[in-house]
Amino acid sequence: MHPVYAAFHKRSIERRDEFWGAESRRIDWRKPFDSVLDYSNPPFARWFPGGELNLCHNAVDRHLADRGDQPALIYISTETGAERVYTFRELHAEVRRMAAILRGLGVAKGDRVLLYMPMIPEAIFAMLATVRLGAIHSVVFGGFASNSLAIRIDDARPKVVVAADAGMRGGKVIPYRTLLREALRLASSKPEHILMVNRGLDAGEPVSANDADYATLRDAHLDDDVSCEWVESTHPSYILYTSGTTGKPKGVQRDTGGYAVALAASMEYVYAAKPGETFFATSDIGWVVGHSYIVYGPLMHGMATVVYEGTPTRPDPGVWWKIVEDHKVSVMFSAPTAIRVLKKQDPAYLTQYDISSLRHLFLAGEPLDEPTARWIAEGIAKPVYDHFWQTETGWALLTGLPGVGDFPTKLGSPSFPCYGYDVRLLDERTAEEVGPSQKGVVCVIPPLPPGCMSTVWGQDQRFVQTYFTSVPDRLIYTTFDWGVRDSDGYYFILGRTDDVINVAGHRLGTREIEEAVASHPSVAEVAVVGVADQLKGQAPVAFAVIRDASQTATPEMAAALEKEILGVVDSLLGAIGRPARVNFVKQLPKTRSGKVLRRSIQAIAESRDPGDLTSLDDPAGIEQIRAAVAHSSGRGA
Ligand code: AMP
């Protein structure tokens, strides 16, 4: 391990307060904090208690004096053809207007504002305006359907929902307004107001009798001044839901001060990015990457950020590199799945544009396979960094650090533990640290560094129970990922330890999908597993037991039922959770205590050895899975 890296990391752990105290100077504080960390109630870490600040001030207002006329937000939609650059001054004006609208609708400090929006500038205005008021945003990814949205509405109980009539993806209209209307029918919590951005894409019915129209209200508040509400460092800035082992998503709660400091430091150390440059994260504001690196990180660092609505291949697969050329992007952040999509296209697209401004590309969200890493690194002739993180951490946990030093990378490895994280690989059974090349669970000795989740929204006990109880009698944070470390100290991530799968960089609990499949009246029981997929990394595959086997008597009947079930999943979870295939079986393989052997099912579906089957209750269950998999490969699956 490089001595410069090792010394930097060691200092961040062993002289934690001094390290983060120095980093805290990167941001503006209205009132200085009393101490760097209050860890008197483990595992709850209160970073910079006593300090007061505002995230929107740090992202926008603070830059007005020095870079008011520089680009802040570069909006490009290859779906509608819209393009617009907002300077920091223009962004400030729009955020003030949005804040005035929200304030007029009754939003005050601590209230929740739920956003269900496509990648349009108004979505970013709404996020910034919410934190400007000291309120808490909860952005729900547009790919989630009504039922998933309703669950999130009921958990966050927002005062206002900000939505758009529609989004577009690949030329197809996604009717957000209609989906929201249905979600509100299902939800028991009713927001006081719906603020609607009408893009003229979908002429559906209004959500409520008195939907507020954004354009009208914007005109009414053009020159309103809304000052920042200074909040405590530990005040929640947002809630972001993520899938776990149980069916119900968890609201990851983020603080304000720790998050601001963590992101500000990462802009230099992780991304080696400079103020005045352009950052392009290809994610979506519905995900944590979008929160941290489309919105807050780059803006706090005084950079322009690209807000892109579109796919990587339209109008042609050179579109991202054209954006790099046009806007002199210096740092790009994407996901392995997007690169695998590009890999299927003509590699000439990679060299069609002048991308000399680009310093490097970061990829995260799922395992980055070696061939994909090599293909893109050679194709764009730039360093490519794999980095590992989670919604929970808010920023990278394992990563290369080009801003700290020129440390060599290894293909397929997210390098080393990031500063601030005391990472250990622990044996699943003994909780002892494993040696080089031995598989262990990636864990962190708390306190978690600034920027990581402070708790599960409204459920402190669930936070402790979910993340800190896997090692008996010790508080240790588990990531639920397997990893190994080679003899040079490089980490490699091997996949999840729980029932979470990663589809095209999106995290889904198999339980959520199982619940959706099982809600079809014909389904008696179902197991969903993630199966390796060339493009998406993993794809969900369902094995369902049908109440009345005569319903699948002919291949045509089975196909019709499969289609119906997929339709149910679409309506409950959205296409994002749709299984690649529903296989019908007479029974599932179970242990004698009745647990479904998901790991064995997954192994068979991936043509691997199902492993230890001694606990199996009835061998017929496994035979059923084998037969179904053989049959579906016959169908070209
Ligand atoms: P999310 O919270 O949706 O960002 O998903 C986090 C999960 O994605 C992690 O727990 C890992 O399973 C996976 N993940 C994220 N980044 C990487 C990476 N660089 N390599 C392997 N897996 C990753």
Side-chain angles (χ1 to χ4, degrees):
M1 196 176 285
H2 197 286
V4 172
Y5 161 79
F8 189 72
H9 184 263
K10 190 162 180 255
R11 186 160 65 80
S12 76
I13 302 297
E14 292 181 359
R15 291 155 65 185
R16 182 186 63 212
D17 287 13
E18 179 191 303
F19 183 92
W20 288 111
E23 297 307 326
S24 73
R25 290 197 275 277
R26 294 175 182 273
I27 60 164
D28 275 4
W29 295 88
R30 177 66 165 196
K31 179 170 165 278
F33 44 85
D34 302 329
S35 61
V36 170
L37 172 66
D38 167 12
Y39 196 52
S40 57
N41 180 26
F44 298 91
R46 299 175 71 244
W47 286 94
F48 311 109
E52 283 181 13
L53 74 162
N54 183 286
L55 212 47
C56 180
H57 165 85
N58 274 285
V60 185
D61 303 44
R62 183 163 77 120
H63 303 302
L64 292 178
D66 292 342
R67 46 183 93 253
D69 296 321
Q70 286 182 17
L73 197 153
I74 298 165
Y75 171 54
I76 300 159
S77 172
T78 48
E79 299 289 347
T80 63
E83 280 205 28
R84 162 109 204 243
V85 177
Y86 295 82
T87 63
F88 275 98
R89 203 176 313 286
E90 288 165 333
L91 177 61
H92 181 244
E94 294 299 344
V95 170
R96 268 191 305 140
R97 287 165 192 150
M98 182 66 91
I101 296 172
L102 292 176
R103 189 176 58 182
L105 297 176
V107 174
K109 183 179 171 188
D111 288 339
R112 274 80 58 208
V113 175
L114 187 139
L115 272 68
Y116 186 56
M117 297 185 88
M119 288 289 286
I120 53 176
E122 290 80 1
I124 285 84
F125 305 158
M127 289 170 77
L128 291 164
T130 300
V131 294
R132 188 175 189 85
L133 296 170
I136 302 164
H137 57 68
S138 167
V139 183
V140 178
F141 177 61
F144 284 120
S146 302
N147 190 57
S148 306
L149 178 56
I151 292 171
R152 287 155 176 79
I153 291 174
D154 278 340
D155 195 71
R157 286 174 290 110
K159 186 169 244 178
V160 172
V161 173
V162 188
D165 58 343
M168 276 180 80
R169 191 164 168 82
K172 233 181 91 193
V173 170
I174 304 160
Y176 283 60
R177 176 165 34 206
T178 306
L179 290 163
L180 173 61
R181 198 172 53 242
E182 173 62 10
L184 287 171
R185 203 182 54 74
L186 299 170
S188 35
S189 162
K190 304 291 172 208
E192 288 175 19
H193 295 281
I194 309 296
L195 177 61
M196 190 59 65
V197 178
N198 285 296
R199 307 175 74 193
L201 293 178
D202 186 50
E205 300 272 300
V207 177
S208 66
N210 51 352
D211 287 3
D213 175 57
Y214 168 71
T216 312
L217 288 177
R218 180 180 173 277
D219 283 347
H221 292 284
L222 269 188
D223 300 315
D224 286 18
D225 193 8
V226 181
S227 52
C228 292
E229 173 83 27
W230 306 105
V231 300
E232 308 74 32
S233 174
T234 52
H235 181 72
S237 54
Y238 67 76
I239 311 167
L240 183 57
Y241 288 87
T242 187
S243 303
T245 23
T246 62
K248 193 166 176 273
K250 292 182 286 282
V252 167
Q253 178 180 322
R254 196 88 63 208
D255 72 356
T256 302
Y259 188 50
V261 172
L263 293 188
S266 73
M267 294 309 296
E268 178 180 332
Y269 297 144
V270 179
Y271 300 102
K274 297 196 176 62
E277 295 179 347
T278 304
F279 199 99
F280 179 18
T282 68
S283 184
D284 184 285
I285 49 154
W287 306 119
V288 65
V289 175
H291 284 63
S292 293
Y293 296 110
I294 292 175
V295 185
Y296 295 111
L299 291 177
M300 280 201 298
H301 202 49
M303 298 180 79
T305 182
V306 175
V307 174
Y308 177 66
E309 181 183 46
T311 67
T313 49
R314 268 170 54 109
D316 66 54
V319 58
W320 281 358
W321 316 109
K322 179 174 181 339
I323 292 173
V324 172
E325 175 180 305
D326 288 352
H327 299 281
K328 308 250 173 313
V329 172
S330 65
V331 182
M332 206 170 150
F333 186 147
S334 192
T337 193
I339 305 301
R340 288 194 292 264
V341 167
L342 294 181
K343 203 166 131 202
K344 289 176 63 180
Q345 316 288 335
D346 185 349
Y349 283 112
L350 297 178
T351 48
Q352 209 180 12
Y353 295 95
D354 173 7
I355 59 166
S356 54
S357 60
L358 190 67
R359 205 169 289 132
H360 37 225
L361 167 68
F362 283 81
L363 299 171
E366 59 186 307
L368 173 62
D369 55 285
E370 245 189 82
T372 303
R374 182 171 295 113
W375 180 82
I376 189 68
E378 288 174 3
I380 60 174
K382 305 278 178 186
V384 172
Y385 293 93
D386 178 12
H387 62 341
F388 165 88
W389 49 299
Q390 311 183 292
T391 306
E392 287 84 348
T393 66
W395 60 291
L397 192 158
L398 297 171
T399 184
L401 293 173
V404 176
D406 188 11
F407 315 128
T409 55
K410 287 193 187 188
L411 285 178
S413 164
S415 295
F416 311 123
C418 190
Y419 55 91
Y421 291 91
D422 190 1
V423 177
R424 308 288 165 92
L425 282 179
L426 301 183
D427 182 279
E428 190 185 26
R429 263 184 280 264
T430 64
E432 296 293 323
E433 278 195 60
V434 300
S437 308
Q438 283 181 310
K439 178 173 156 181
V441 182
V442 181
C443 293
V444 181
I445 307 291
L448 295 176
C452 292
M453 74 189 291
S454 13
T455 187
V456 174
W457 171 253
Q459 300 179 69
D460 285 349
Q461 256 323 303
R462 190 174 177 199
F463 171 63
V464 181
Q465 189 62 36
T466 306
Y467 297 104
F468 292 92
T469 53
S470 59
V471 177
D473 306 322
R474 282 173 71 196
L475 284 175
I476 293 183
Y477 174 83
T478 174
T479 60
F480 297 100
D481 280 288
W482 296 111
V484 294
R485 192 174 42 219
D486 71 9
S487 50
D488 298 325
Y490 286 80
Y491 282 68
F492 293 80
I493 297 294
L494 306 174
R496 298 280 300 193
T497 64
D498 59 5
D499 292 331
V500 167
I501 60 174
N502 204 313
V503 183
H506 302 154
R507 179 166 145 189
L508 293 166
T510 49
R511 278 276 298 275
E512 272 175 273
I513 307 174
E514 284 172 4
E515 281 172 20
V517 172
S519 70
H520 187 288
S522 301
V523 176
E525 204 179 10
V526 61
V528 170
V529 295
V531 176
D533 180 273
Q534 279 214 328
L535 208 57
K536 297 177 174 173
Q538 283 187 301
V541 172
F543 294 86
V545 180
I546 298 302
R547 287 182 206 286
D548 173 5
S550 68
Q551 278 192 284
T552 54
T554 66
E556 292 73 27
M557 288 167 80
L561 185 59
E562 179 181 22
K563 203 166 160 214
E564 254 184 50
I565 293 173
L566 295 178
V568 169
V569 178
D570 274 5
S571 69
L572 291 176
L573 290 179
I576 187 176
R578 184 194 302 154
R581 174 126 295 158
V582 182
N583 296 293
F584 298 113
V585 290
K586 292 201 183 70
Q587 71 182 82
L588 295 171
K590 287 186 186 171
T591 63
R592 274 179 283 278
S593 60
K595 273 198 173 155
V596 174
L597 282 166
R598 285 191 181 71
R599 281 188 201 184
S600 305
I601 300 178
Q602 184 191 35
I604 293 171
E606 291 183 340
S607 313
R608 289 185 285 111
D609 175 10
D612 181 11
L613 294 175
T614 46
S615 61
L616 189 65
D617 185 32
D618 179 354
I622 278 289
E623 287 318 315
Q624 286 278 312
I625 301 293
R626 282 208 177 95
V629 169
H631 178 66
S632 84
S633 2
R635 283 197 286 164

